[in-house]
Amino acid sequence: MTAGGSERTEALLSALDKATDVAVGRLDVDSLLDDLLDQVTALLDSDTAAVLLLDERAGQLVARAARGVEVEVRHGVRIPVGVGFAGRIAASRRPLRLERVDATTVANPLLWQRGIRSMLGVPLQAGARLLGVLHVGARSGRRFDDDDVALLEAIASRIAGAVERREQAVQEVTARVLQRSLLPAAVPTCPGLEFAARYVPAERGGVGGDWYDAFVLDDGTLWLTLGDVAGHGLEASVIMGRLRSTLRAYALEHDDRAEVLTRADRKLQRFEPGDIATVLAAVAPPPYRCFRLASAGHLPPVLAAPDLPAVLVDGALGPPLGVPAPSPRTATAVELPPGAVLLGYTDGLVERRSTRLDLRLERLRSLVRAIHPEAVCHDVMSGLVGDEVNADDIALLALRRSSTGTRRRG
């Protein structure tokens, strides 16, 4: 590469950096890629350019943006990792050049049908994470040389960074909207019960998969569930939404809360292999004097009766959903005397790396009293969270059985 060519390349890369910085803040991922590929074809003097992003679950590359071969995106082209030109680049994570584009070298017939005669591709990587593949093509049959490889790698590095930053930002917003949309619009109205609930998203570390739910069946049976899907981000929120809907659907068919957890576990293991979630289910028919509790790896709820110390309710603890259960899941009965409070929560409330869990649970137990559920939530959040920055989502669901039996709304 000549000195003049090097200066021009640096100037173009600098312009790409500036354009990327501007685009990242205002475009979704697909629009961002479309915007950047216009500049890629100019930088490489190529006829085509395309980005295929990795679908990790499917082990495939998916065409997301293209110039000169837009039909790849319109047809929803998917290439298995290890297969064809792009697939080999993804598998090896190394650049690849082609001087013959046909069925023997490329998996996608659209490329040679469009007259492309030579190609160059490089992996898109953000650190050790493979995001996809960037490739360019020429109809003139010109050969891409080592300087072209170095330039495309430099471009790919910038595009990968921009895609990762924008994808994270978009997923964070989407996950928050999804998670909030799946929380109950209001807690149910049940004779003789008062409710309060909290959902507080993490301030750092990404949105998690925490939720609470409360609903009443046609016969008046009250279902309370809390859960936490392992992991953070959009995927955890999506799994959370599916699991919450699954629990609701099975609750309509089965009055045995242990059986509901068993069936939800079977579905999760079958259709979301590798995902894990903890769930607490508490179920009571009118007049809500006795709750049946079943837990899939969830932390124990707290029960506080008037004039008695609060206790952690142990029992009926099985493994988390997504983990094979060595024995059938069971439920345990918990009496709720007049004026008593039952509090469920997710682990973001009590788990801290700097403090032993048993000490935090004891602190929680000492904070829960047989008072109005709103006051319980206030005391618990003040005593265990205070002014600290939340590194994990927190969900709380509290109820109190009144002594009057009057109808109240939480």
Side-chain angles (χ1 to χ4, degrees):
M1 184 179 294
T2 64
S6 177
E7 291 176 1
R8 177 177 178 276
T9 297
E10 289 299 325
L12 288 170
L13 286 174
S14 178
L16 179 63
D17 287 337
K18 293 178 181 178
T20 299
D21 289 340
V22 172
V24 164
R26 63 181 176 84
L27 300 176
D28 60 36
V29 173
D30 293 318
S31 299
L32 171 66
L33 290 173
D34 285 336
D35 201 49
L36 296 177
L37 285 187
D38 285 330
Q39 299 174 65
V40 171
T41 55
L43 282 164
L44 270 295
D45 192 24
S46 63
D47 298 306
T48 68
V51 167
L52 297 92
L53 295 183
L54 178 64
D55 180 343
E56 293 179 309
R57 284 182 174 266
Q60 295 178 321
L61 297 165
V62 183
R64 288 286 294 270
R67 283 293 177 269
V69 282
E70 289 84 354
V71 68
E72 270 203 343
V73 179
R74 292 169 185 154
H75 288 193
V77 168
R78 301 177 76 94
I79 304 295
V81 172
V83 175
F85 175 64
R88 294 200 303 274
I89 295 170
S92 67
R93 302 196 181 196
R94 297 176 63 84
L96 183 61
R97 286 177 276 188
L98 290 182
E99 296 178 6
R100 184 179 76 252
V101 180
D102 56 28
T104 67
T105 58
V106 175
N108 180 13
L110 293 171
L111 297 176
W112 69 78
Q113 290 172 0
R114 296 295 162 130
I116 299 173
R117 299 175 60 189
S118 61
M119 296 183 69
L120 166 64
V122 297
L124 286 171
Q125 297 186 100
R129 181 190 172 204
L130 178 69
L131 300 182
V133 169
L134 167 66
H135 67 66
V136 295
R139 296 188 177 93
S140 64
R142 80 171 181 88
R143 296 184 176 183
F144 293 101
D145 58 24
D146 291 343
D147 287 339
D148 295 320
V149 173
L151 178 56
L152 193 60
E153 286 183 317
I155 294 170
S157 175
R158 289 159 168 80
I159 290 179
V163 167
E164 185 178 52
R165 294 196 306 275
R166 189 55 187 153
E167 200 170 51
Q168 287 176 345
V170 171
Q171 287 192 1
E172 182 78 10
V173 172
T174 304
R176 290 187 184 278
V177 171
L178 173 62
Q179 196 164 39
R180 289 188 180 279
S181 71
L182 290 171
L183 294 174
V187 292
T189 299
C190 296
L193 293 183
E194 300 165 316
F195 293 93
R198 296 283 191 278
Y199 169 71
V200 182
E203 292 182 63
R204 65 165 186 262
V207 176
D210 293 28
W211 87 92
Y212 70 86
D213 199 7
F215 56 91
V216 176
L217 303 183
D218 291 340
D219 64 358
T221 298
L222 171 65
W223 274 79
L224 306 175
T225 63
L226 289 103
D228 183 7
V229 176
H232 291 86
L234 180 59
E235 184 175 347
S237 294
V238 169
I239 300 301
M240 176 271 290
R242 292 173 183 167
L243 186 54
R244 174 180 174 273
S245 296
T246 295
L247 291 167
R248 282 189 163 198
Y250 286 141
L252 290 173
E253 302 296 329
H254 303 277
D255 58 5
D256 184 343
R257 69 287 312 141
E259 178 65 16
V260 168
L261 290 185
T262 297
R263 290 174 177 263
D265 184 23
R266 189 181 306 157
K267 179 180 180 294
L268 185 69
Q269 292 191 50
R270 178 64 180 85
F271 295 105
E272 313 289 348
D275 287 306
I276 297 174
T278 68
V279 178
L280 175 70
V283 184
Y288 314 114
R289 294 171 182 165
C290 180
F291 279 79
R292 298 281 293 178
L293 271 63
S295 175
H298 205 81
L299 290 169
V302 182
L303 176 64
D307 304 319
L308 292 174
V311 296
L312 295 170
V313 181
D314 291 319
L317 178 63
L321 304 189
V323 177
S327 58
R329 297 182 184 275
T330 60
T332 188
V334 176
E335 293 288 337
L336 200 67
V341 166
L342 185 67
L343 172 74
Y345 54 94
T346 56
D347 59 10
L349 176 67
V350 293
E351 289 189 349
R352 300 292 185 275
R353 291 182 179 180
S354 59
T355 309
R356 284 171 25 204
L357 178 59
D358 61 334
L359 297 178
R360 295 278 296 179
L361 288 173
E362 173 57 25
R363 174 63 174 154
L364 169 63
R365 187 200 63 77
S366 71
L367 290 167
V368 180
R369 296 174 293 152
I371 55 179
H372 193 280
E374 286 290 351
V376 172
C377 290
H378 173 271
D379 291 349
V380 166
M381 293 298 290
S382 296
L384 287 172
V385 178
D387 292 331
E388 70 182 26
V389 174
N390 298 332
D392 197 3
D393 294 1
I394 297 171
L396 296 179
L397 183 57
L399 67 87
R400 181 174 68 167
R401 182 177 168 222
S402 66
S403 57
T404 60
T406 57
R407 177 177 292 265
R408 299 174 185 267
R409 186 176 183 85

